[in-house]
Amino acid sequence: MTQWLHMSQMIHCLPDETINNLYPPQAFPIEVRHFLAEWLENQRWEDFAPEKVERASQAKALLDQIISMLQSISQQNSNVVVRMKLKQISRTLTGFQQRPLQFAVLVRDILTRERVLLNTPTQGPSPQQYPPPYESRESSFPNTQDVDHLVLKVLEVQEIRQKMHQMQEELNWERQNYESLPGTIQQNGMDPAQSEIHKLQTNIQQLEYNVKTMATKRFQLLQECVDCLDQCQVRLISRLKAWQWEQHKATIGHPFDENLTPLQTWCEQLLAVNGKLRQELMLIVEPIPELQERLGKLQQVLIQSSLVVEKQPPQVIKTQSKFSTTVRYLLGEKIAPGKPVVLKAQIINELQARNLGSVPGENVGELINNTAVLEHNTTSKSTCATFRNMSIKKIKRADRKGSESVTEEKFAFLFSAEITITGCDTPYRIQTFSLPVVVIVHGSQDNNALATIIWDCAFSEPDRVPFIVPERVPWRMMYSTLNSKFTSEVQTQHNLDHFNQHFLAQKIFDKSDFVDDFSNMMVSWAQFNKEVLPSRSFTFWQWFEGAMDLTKKHLKTYWSEGLIFGFIGKQHLHLILQDRPNGTFLLRFSDSEIGGITIAYVSASENGGQKIQNIQPFTKRDLEILSLGDRIRDINHITYLYPEFPKHEAFKKFYSEPQMSPSGGYIPVSLHTKVGTDPGSATAAPPLVTPDNPCSSTFPVNPFCQPFSPTDSITPLEGMDTTANPEEFVTSPVGFPEHIPTGDNMDLELETILQNLNN
């Protein structure tokens, strides 16, 4: 509908005659264009041509749909005049049902002329009202105006050729008439027929001049057409590269429109124009080798640039595992019939990717199921080769430099085939390669391999030499990448805020007391995922990815609704909680444990003041046993979510429903979170897990037992005094009935517990 929005603004400045010529009242009234604007622009009218009689049924289906939509709109319109007008138009259009192809070509030509008008600077009062003549590489759609101008130029060349042919025939006829006159009459100036002979000579001279003039104009137009085709093709290839670049950036969460249909249409149009121009050159008596050579090169570049990886393989691949990928050829409908086109895949290393023009060297890996046939889908009009069960059997590593690990080595898949296009005498070799991939042999390498891919996708430059990336980048770029990856992976609209950003910077730069702006500080690959964090056994990326994965699997809704503060340092934590009443708490990601979330809360100290407690972090395993909402519900000494939201209002919807009493006379069992130890217990319960386990779960046998009092059991481990050890947590052992055996595994089988209780 974008085209009609601009066209409706221009119509006010056009003469009535131009409007009637553009929208013939008896064939395609302007009301049809207005009411069906968006639908009309979404159809592939360029597929129709007078000679394509096989598309008549498709054209009739579109015509019937237009008539049906107009009738439906008329019934819903409250304006009587408009309603009657639309009914009349729908009746008029039924006249095309015996010649639907003519109607489809008419609509095609109308939309083409609209684009030409919009792209003509003299047609409007204000150029800023209309789209620019060429959209940027970030645009999702190709520049159809340029192609339409080119098509019109080619039509003009064809019209000039036809006129020249008619003039030449007329000239030949006049010459024959002149030569058939007796010689005495031609020389006798006193003969009465002399005036007719003079007219004949003058007419011949004029025709010769006109033919020569039109031949010159034809040559100039052909040159302009080839120049315009060259420019359109450069823009097309630029847009193809932009599409591939956006696909690359999608790995880190950037938006990406994967629709290739507009680009396919553009490719097909340019190849068709190239073919028509080559035909026009063949019809010229004296050949023009320069233009023929340029068209040949343009055709070769277009054919070889139209192979793209539509669905990329996984960028971290484990050997001996299956994966899939899809390669699409944008000129699939132009492939010569007969011999099928078989696409072959091979894995290449970084050095081979840089030297694709030369003969590939030795194989660096062995692939299974690495061939696929290009097949055309008539419904989607796409031609694709799908590798459904490809696998890397073995991989050969390059010599590593210094401390470089195997998870830093990048490979790619090269797809190639030999193809013949209809109308072309010689076959062409086409090839393209995938985004970089990292090959691993064990699941433990997955995290580090993903870090390599993230760094590559985030910080590589367009048109780079494969697969070069900078060693250091500004923090602002790093933070943007982390935020984009976090929100896309968690599938949330809730971004990391400036508090999160500042703490992440403090973390990666090891500057906990730094309060200035980090934006322009340079962060290195080593700081990102080679060097472990101070006093830790893991890297920054491993820690960040752990928090992201925990949020994705267990905390998505909590995060999306702003219930989790997230990444916050201890100093900032003390600052924002120091004036809050006892029981105020917030949720933050653990600073010392991968994939953990902890509850920091304000409580009373022994001297009547306040202190901040940090409950030992909950991990993915803990939250699989009992949700975060239920754990927050169970902890009675946290009451208000920072700044002052009652916890039962904020988290009530996350609480589990009470379990129904089990059948068969069994005693009900439930899990509850308990912080610290219960001094009221007669017998100290043996711990179910090691002391570093983040939480506790209690299975009460007697539902009327004395309720747990958190104020009696919490051992203060961290106060408001910033000198306190920031990594200490309130531990949480677990209590069971004495006759229930305990073990080192917290994931107890409920059936086993019930059996023990029943004995």
Side-chain angles (χ1 to χ4, degrees), residues 63-78:
L63 175 60
D64 291 343
Q65 197 170 352
I66 288 175
I67 294 173
S68 175
M69 287 190 292
L70 288 175
Q71 291 173 344
S72 176
I73 293 171
S74 68
Q75 293 172 0
Q76 299 171 9
N77 200 300
S78 58

Side-chain angles (χ1 to χ4, degrees), residues 2 5 18-19 32 64 90 214 232 235 243-244 259 270 288 306 316 351 356 383 463 468 633 652 683 686 691 715 744:
T2 303
L5 287 175
T18 302
I19 297 175
V32 179
D64 291 343
S90 63
M214 295 197 75
C232 285
R235 290 169 181 162
W243 185 91
Q244 293 168 327
N259 182 20
L270 293 188
I288 310 175
S306 297
V316 177
L351 182 61
L356 282 183
T383 303
D463 302 321
I468 293 177
R633 175 200 59 198
K652 184 177 181 180
T683 305
T715 304
D744 292 332

Side-chain angles (χ1 to χ4, degrees), residues 475-487:
W475 167 250
R476 63 179 180 275
M477 293 177 62
M478 170 60 74
Y479 169 70
S480 175
T481 298
L482 295 175
N483 180 62
S484 179
K485 182 63 178 175
F486 188 95
T487 53

Side-chain angles (χ1 to χ4, degrees), residues 81-153:
V81 177
V82 174
R83 186 163 64 245
M84 299 306 296
K85 179 68 174 178
L86 291 178
K87 287 183 178 180
Q88 179 186 351
I89 292 173
S90 63
R91 287 194 296 269
T92 302
L93 293 182
T94 57
F96 281 102
Q97 289 183 328
Q98 301 302 319
R99 41 198 174 97
L101 195 59
Q102 180 182 346
F103 176 78
V105 172
L106 172 66
V107 178
R108 179 201 68 182
D109 293 342
I110 289 173
L111 295 176
T112 300
R113 288 198 292 269
E114 282 183 355
R115 291 192 287 267
V116 172
L117 283 171
L118 288 171
N119 202 43
T120 305
T122 58
Q123 292 296 324
S126 175
Q128 60 266 27
Q129 291 181 350
Y130 311 117
Y134 177 71
E135 298 186 1
S136 65
R137 61 185 288 162
E138 289 77 16
S139 170
S140 297
F141 301 98
N143 184 22
T144 54
Q145 291 92 341
D146 283 350
V147 180
D148 291 336
H149 270 299
L150 178 57
V151 170
L152 290 177
K153 281 182 177 291

Side-chain angles (χ1 to χ4, degrees), residues 196-317:
E196 293 298 326
I197 294 172
H198 180 71
K199 288 182 180 179
L200 193 59
Q201 290 174 333
T202 303
N203 192 26
I204 290 173
Q205 291 174 354
Q206 184 63 45
L207 286 171
E208 288 175 340
Y209 174 80
N210 290 345
V211 168
K212 185 177 180 180
T213 301
M214 295 197 75
T216 302
K217 183 178 180 181
R218 179 187 183 188
F219 175 73
Q220 292 174 343
L221 266 177
L222 280 169
Q223 283 187 314
E224 291 177 10
C225 285
V226 175
D227 290 340
C228 186
L229 175 63
D230 196 344
Q231 295 170 4
C232 285
Q233 190 162 306
V234 167
R235 290 169 181 162
L236 167 63
I237 293 174
S238 174
R239 181 64 198 113
L240 276 171
K241 290 181 178 179
W243 185 91
Q244 293 168 327
W245 177 248
E246 292 160 7
Q247 185 189 48
H248 192 190
K249 289 292 184 181
T251 303
I252 55 173
H254 285 206
F256 170 55
D257 181 5
E258 61 185 14
N259 182 20
L260 277 169
T261 301
L263 292 174
Q264 176 173 310
T265 301
W266 203 358
C267 287
E268 292 169 347
Q269 289 175 328
L270 293 188
L271 184 66
V273 167
N274 191 301
K276 290 178 181 179
L277 290 175
R278 289 162 68 87
Q279 289 178 354
E280 291 299 321
L281 287 175
M282 292 177 187
L283 294 173
I284 295 179
V285 179
E286 297 182 0
I288 310 175
E290 178 190 353
L291 295 184
Q292 290 174 335
E293 183 179 353
R294 285 185 64 190
L295 286 174
K297 289 182 178 178
L298 287 172
Q299 179 179 262
Q300 178 180 353
V301 170
L302 181 61
I303 290 172
Q304 293 180 330
S305 300
S306 297
L307 187 68
V308 294
V309 183
E310 183 176 37
K311 179 188 174 186
Q312 291 287 340
Q315 288 192 261
V316 177
I317 303 176

Side-chain angles (χ1 to χ4, degrees), residues 198 250 378 383 541 552 562 671 689:
H198 180 71
T378 54
T383 303
W541 165 252
K552 172 184 176 181
L671 289 168
V689 294

